[in-house]
Each structure stands twice: as C-alpha cells, then as structure tokens.
Coordinates of all heavy atoms in Angstrom, one line a residue:
T1 N 0.9 -1.2 0.0 CA 0.0 0.0 0.0 C 0.9 1.2 0.0 O 2.1 1.1 0.4 CB -0.9 0.0 1.3 OG1 0.0 0.2 2.4 CG2 -1.8 -1.2 1.4
P2 N 0.3 2.4 -0.3 CA 1.2 3.6 -0.2 C 1.7 3.8 1.1 O 2.9 4.2 1.3 CB 0.2 4.7 -0.7 CG -0.8 4.0 -1.6 CD -0.9 2.6 -1.0
E3 N 1.0 3.5 2.2 CA 1.4 3.6 3.5 C 2.6 2.7 3.8 O 3.5 3.1 4.5 CB 0.3 3.4 4.5 CG -0.8 4.4 4.4 CD -1.9 4.1 3.3 OE1 -1.8 3.1 2.7 OE2 -2.6 5.1 3.0
A4 N 2.5 1.5 3.3 CA 3.6 0.5 3.5 C 4.9 1.0 2.8 O 6.0 0.9 3.4 CB 3.3 -0.9 3.0
Y5 N 4.8 1.5 1.6 CA 5.9 2.1 0.9 C 6.5 3.3 1.7 O 7.7 3.4 1.8 CB 5.6 2.5 -0.5 CG 5.3 1.4 -1.5 CD1 4.1 1.4 -2.2 CD2 6.2 0.4 -1.7 CE1 3.8 0.4 -3.1 CE2 5.9 -0.6 -2.6 CZ 4.7 -0.6 -3.3 OH 4.4 -1.7 -4.2
R6 N 5.6 4.1 2.2 CA 6.1 5.3 2.9 C 6.9 4.9 4.2 O 7.9 5.4 4.5 CB 4.9 6.2 3.2 CG 5.4 7.4 4.0 CD 4.2 8.3 4.4 NE 4.6 9.4 5.1 CZ 4.7 10.6 4.6 NH1 4.3 10.9 3.4 NH2 5.1 11.6 5.4
A7 N 6.3 3.9 4.9 CA 6.9 3.5 6.1 C 8.3 2.8 5.9 O 9.2 3.1 6.6 CB 6.0 2.4 6.8
E8 N 8.4 2.1 4.8 CA 9.8 1.5 4.4 C 10.8 2.6 4.1 O 11.9 2.5 4.4 CB 9.6 0.5 3.3 CG 10.9 -0.1 2.8 CD 11.6 -1.0 3.8 OE1 11.0 -1.3 4.9 OE2 12.8 -1.2 3.7
I9 N 10.3 3.6 3.3 CA 11.2 4.7 2.9 C 11.7 5.4 4.2 O 12.9 5.7 4.3 CB 10.5 5.6 1.9 CG1 10.4 4.9 0.6 CG2 11.3 6.9 1.8 CD1 9.4 5.6 -0.4
E10 N 10.7 5.6 5.1 CA 11.1 6.4 6.3 C 12.1 5.5 7.2 O 13.0 6.1 7.7 CB 9.8 6.8 7.1 CG 9.1 7.8 6.4 CD 7.8 8.2 7.1 OE1 7.3 7.4 8.0 OE2 7.2 9.1 6.7
R11 N 11.8 4.2 7.3 CA 12.8 3.3 8.0 C 14.2 3.4 7.4 O 15.2 3.5 8.0 CB 12.3 1.9 8.1 CG 11.2 1.7 9.1 CD 10.8 0.3 9.3 NE 10.3 -0.4 8.2 CZ 9.1 -0.5 7.8 NH1 8.1 0.1 8.6 NH2 8.7 -1.1 6.7
L12 N 14.2 3.3 6.0 CA 15.5 3.3 5.4 C 16.2 4.7 5.6 O 17.4 4.8 5.8 CB 15.4 3.0 3.9 CG 15.2 1.6 3.6 CD1 14.9 1.4 2.1 CD2 16.4 0.7 3.9
H13 N 15.4 5.8 5.5 CA 16.0 7.1 5.7 C 16.6 7.2 7.1 O 17.8 7.6 7.3 CB 14.9 8.1 5.5 CG 15.5 9.5 5.8 ND1 15.4 10.1 7.0 CD2 16.1 10.4 5.0 CE1 15.9 11.3 6.9 NE2 16.3 11.5 5.8
D14 N 15.8 6.7 8.1 CA 16.4 6.7 9.5 C 17.6 5.9 9.6 O 18.6 6.3 10.3 CB 15.3 6.2 10.4 CG 14.1 7.1 10.6 OD1 14.2 8.2 10.2 OD2 13.1 6.6 11.1
F15 N 17.7 4.8 8.9 CA 18.9 4.0 8.9 C 20.1 4.7 8.3 O 21.2 4.7 8.8 CB 18.8 2.6 8.1 CG 20.1 1.9 7.9 CD1 20.7 1.2 8.9 CD2 20.8 2.1 6.7 CE1 21.9 0.6 8.7 CE2 22.0 1.5 6.5 CZ 22.6 0.8 7.5
F16 N 19.9 5.3 7.1 CA 21.0 6.0 6.4 C 21.4 7.2 7.3 O 22.7 7.5 7.3 CB 20.5 6.5 5.1 CG 20.7 5.4 4.0 CD1 19.5 4.9 3.4 CD2 21.8 4.8 3.7 CE1 19.6 3.9 2.5 CE2 21.9 3.8 2.8 CZ 20.8 3.3 2.2
V17 N 20.6 7.9 7.9 CA 21.0 9.0 8.8 C 21.9 8.4 9.9 O 23.0 9.0 10.2 CB 19.8 9.7 9.4 CG1 20.2 10.7 10.5 CG2 19.0 10.5 8.3
A18 N 21.5 7.3 10.5 CA 22.3 6.8 11.6 C 23.7 6.3 11.1 O 24.7 6.5 11.7 CB 21.5 5.6 12.2
W19 N 23.7 5.7 9.9 CA 24.9 5.2 9.2 C 25.8 6.4 9.0 O 27.0 6.3 9.3 CB 24.5 4.4 8.0 CG 25.7 3.9 7.2 CD1 26.8 3.3 7.6 CD2 25.9 3.9 5.8 NE1 27.7 3.0 6.7 CE2 27.1 3.3 5.5 CE3 25.0 4.4 4.7 CZ2 27.6 3.2 4.1 CZ3 25.5 4.3 3.4 CH2 26.7 3.6 3.1
F20 N 25.3 7.4 8.3 CA 26.2 8.5 7.9 C 26.7 9.3 9.1 O 27.7 9.9 9.0 CB 25.4 9.4 6.9 CG 25.3 8.9 5.6 CD1 24.0 9.0 4.9 CD2 26.2 8.2 4.9 CE1 23.8 8.5 3.7 CE2 26.0 7.6 3.6 CZ 24.8 7.8 3.0
T21 N 26.0 9.3 10.2 CA 26.5 10.0 11.4 C 27.2 9.1 12.3 O 27.6 9.5 13.4 CB 25.3 10.6 12.1 OG1 24.4 9.6 12.5 CG2 24.6 11.7 11.3
G22 N 27.5 7.8 11.9 CA 28.3 6.9 12.8 C 27.5 6.3 13.9 O 28.1 5.9 14.9
N23 N 26.2 6.3 13.9 CA 25.4 5.8 15.0 C 24.7 4.5 14.7 O 23.6 4.3 15.2 CB 24.3 6.9 15.4 CG 25.0 8.1 15.9 OD1 25.9 8.1 16.8 ND2 24.6 9.3 15.4
T24 N 25.4 3.6 13.9 CA 24.7 2.3 13.7 C 25.8 1.2 13.7 O 27.0 1.5 13.5 CB 24.0 2.3 12.3 OG1 23.3 1.1 12.2 CG2 24.9 2.4 11.2
D25 N 25.5 0.0 14.0 CA 26.4 -1.1 14.0 C 26.4 -1.8 12.6 O 25.4 -1.8 11.9 CB 26.0 -2.1 15.1 CG 26.0 -1.5 16.5 OD1 27.0 -0.7 16.7 OD2 25.2 -1.9 17.3
R26 N 27.6 -2.4 12.3 CA 27.7 -3.1 11.0 C 26.6 -4.2 10.9 O 26.2 -4.4 9.8 CB 29.1 -3.7 10.9 CG 29.3 -4.6 9.8 CD 29.5 -3.8 8.5 NE 29.6 -4.6 7.4 CZ 29.2 -4.4 6.2 NH1 28.5 -3.4 5.9 NH2 29.4 -5.3 5.2
D27 N 26.2 -4.9 12.0 CA 25.2 -5.9 11.9 C 23.9 -5.4 11.4 O 23.1 -6.2 10.9 CB 25.1 -6.7 13.1 CG 24.7 -5.9 14.4 OD1 24.9 -4.7 14.4 OD2 24.2 -6.5 15.3
E28 N 23.6 -4.1 11.6 CA 22.3 -3.6 11.2 C 22.3 -3.3 9.6 O 21.3 -3.1 9.0 CB 22.1 -2.2 11.8 CG 21.9 -2.4 13.3 CD 21.7 -1.0 14.0 OE1 20.9 -0.2 13.4 OE2 22.3 -0.8 15.0
F29 N 23.5 -3.4 9.0 CA 23.6 -3.1 7.6 C 23.0 -4.2 6.7 O 22.6 -4.0 5.6 CB 25.0 -2.9 7.2 CG 25.2 -2.0 6.0 CD1 25.0 -0.6 6.1 CD2 25.4 -2.5 4.7 CE1 25.2 0.3 5.0 CE2 25.5 -1.7 3.7 CZ 25.4 -0.3 3.7
G30 N 22.8 -5.5 7.2 CA 22.3 -6.5 6.5 C 20.9 -6.2 5.9 O 20.5 -6.6 4.8
R31 N 20.1 -5.4 6.6 CA 18.8 -5.1 6.2 C 18.9 -4.3 4.9 O 18.0 -4.5 4.0 CB 18.2 -4.2 7.3 CG 16.8 -3.8 6.9 CD 16.1 -3.1 8.1 NE 14.8 -2.6 7.7 CZ 14.6 -1.6 6.9 NH1 15.6 -0.9 6.4 NH2 13.4 -1.3 6.6
V32 N 19.9 -3.4 4.8 CA 20.0 -2.7 3.6 C 20.4 -3.5 2.3 O 19.9 -3.3 1.2 CB 21.1 -1.6 3.7 CG1 21.4 -0.9 2.5 CG2 20.7 -0.6 4.8
E33 N 21.2 -4.6 2.6 CA 21.5 -5.5 1.5 C 20.2 -6.1 0.9 O 20.1 -6.4 -0.3 CB 22.4 -6.6 2.0 CG 23.7 -6.2 2.3 CD 24.6 -7.3 2.8 OE1 24.9 -8.2 1.9 OE2 25.0 -7.3 3.9
D34 N 19.2 -6.4 1.8 CA 17.9 -7.0 1.3 C 17.1 -6.0 0.5 O 16.3 -6.5 -0.3 CB 17.1 -7.4 2.5 CG 17.8 -8.5 3.3 OD1 18.6 -9.2 2.7 OD2 17.4 -8.7 4.5
V35 N 17.2 -4.7 0.6 CA 16.3 -3.8 0.0 C 16.9 -3.1 -1.2 O 16.2 -2.5 -2.0 CB 15.7 -2.8 0.9 CG1 14.8 -3.5 2.0 CG2 16.7 -1.9 1.6
L36 N 18.2 -3.0 -1.3 CA 18.9 -2.3 -2.4 C 18.8 -3.1 -3.7 O 19.2 -4.3 -3.7 CB 20.4 -1.9 -2.1 CG 20.6 -1.0 -1.0 CD1 22.1 -0.8 -0.9 CD2 19.8 0.3 -1.1
G37 N 18.3 -2.6 -4.7 CA 18.2 -3.2 -6.0 C 19.5 -3.4 -6.6 O 20.5 -2.8 -6.2
P38 N 19.7 -4.3 -7.6 CA 20.9 -4.7 -8.2 C 21.5 -3.5 -8.9 O 22.8 -3.5 -9.0 CB 20.6 -5.8 -9.2 CG 19.2 -5.8 -9.3 CD 18.5 -5.2 -8.2
D39 N 20.8 -2.6 -9.4 CA 21.3 -1.4 -10.1 C 21.5 -0.2 -9.2 O 21.7 0.9 -9.7 CB 20.4 -1.1 -11.3 CG 20.4 -2.2 -12.3 OD1 21.4 -2.9 -12.5 OD2 19.4 -2.3 -13.0
F40 N 21.3 -0.4 -7.9 CA 21.4 0.8 -7.0 C 22.7 1.5 -7.1 O 23.8 0.8 -7.3 CB 21.3 0.3 -5.5 CG 21.5 1.3 -4.5 CD1 20.4 2.2 -4.1 CD2 22.7 1.5 -3.9 CE1 20.7 3.2 -3.2 CE2 22.9 2.5 -3.0 CZ 21.9 3.3 -2.6
E41 N 22.7 2.8 -7.1 CA 23.9 3.6 -7.0 C 23.7 4.7 -5.9 O 22.6 5.3 -5.8 CB 24.2 4.3 -8.3 CG 24.7 3.5 -9.4 CD 25.0 4.2 -10.6 OE1 24.3 5.2 -11.0 OE2 26.0 3.9 -11.3
L42 N 24.8 5.0 -5.2 CA 24.8 6.1 -4.2 C 25.5 7.2 -4.9 O 26.6 7.0 -5.4 CB 25.5 5.6 -3.0 CG 25.6 6.7 -1.9 CD1 24.3 7.0 -1.2 CD2 26.6 6.3 -0.8

C-alpha cells in the first residue's frame, strides 16, 4: 500500500541518517542488502 511504501522509505531514511552519522552497527547493515536493487547507486 502507499502507507507501507512510505513506512519502508522512512525506516531506510532513518537507517541512512544513523549510518552517515556513525550511530549504527555493522550488523544492522544486512537489512540494507535486502532492499537495495541490483542497479542501486549512491
């Protein structure tokens, strides 16, 4: 649903903020591997 997409985007945004500011553990990064598409670019 649009709400589910929005919630996922917000969770990923929160993760990236924590990652870029050094406030996340490496073991939390596995979740990102599951959601990044094969053609993802940063």
Side-chain angles (χ1 to χ4, degrees):
T1 64
E3 294 80 16
Y5 289 127
R6 181 184 179 103
E8 178 62 16
I9 290 166
E10 289 175 353
R11 282 190 298 271
L12 282 174
H13 179 267
D14 291 345
F15 168 82
F16 280 115
V17 168
W19 176 43
F20 288 138
T21 58
N23 294 312
T24 189
D25 295 324
R26 174 72 181 145
D27 60 337
E28 294 178 46
F29 207 79
R31 183 176 176 285
V32 174
E33 291 182 69
D34 295 338
V35 298
L36 296 183
D39 296 330
F40 174 84
E41 287 184 322
L42 175 72

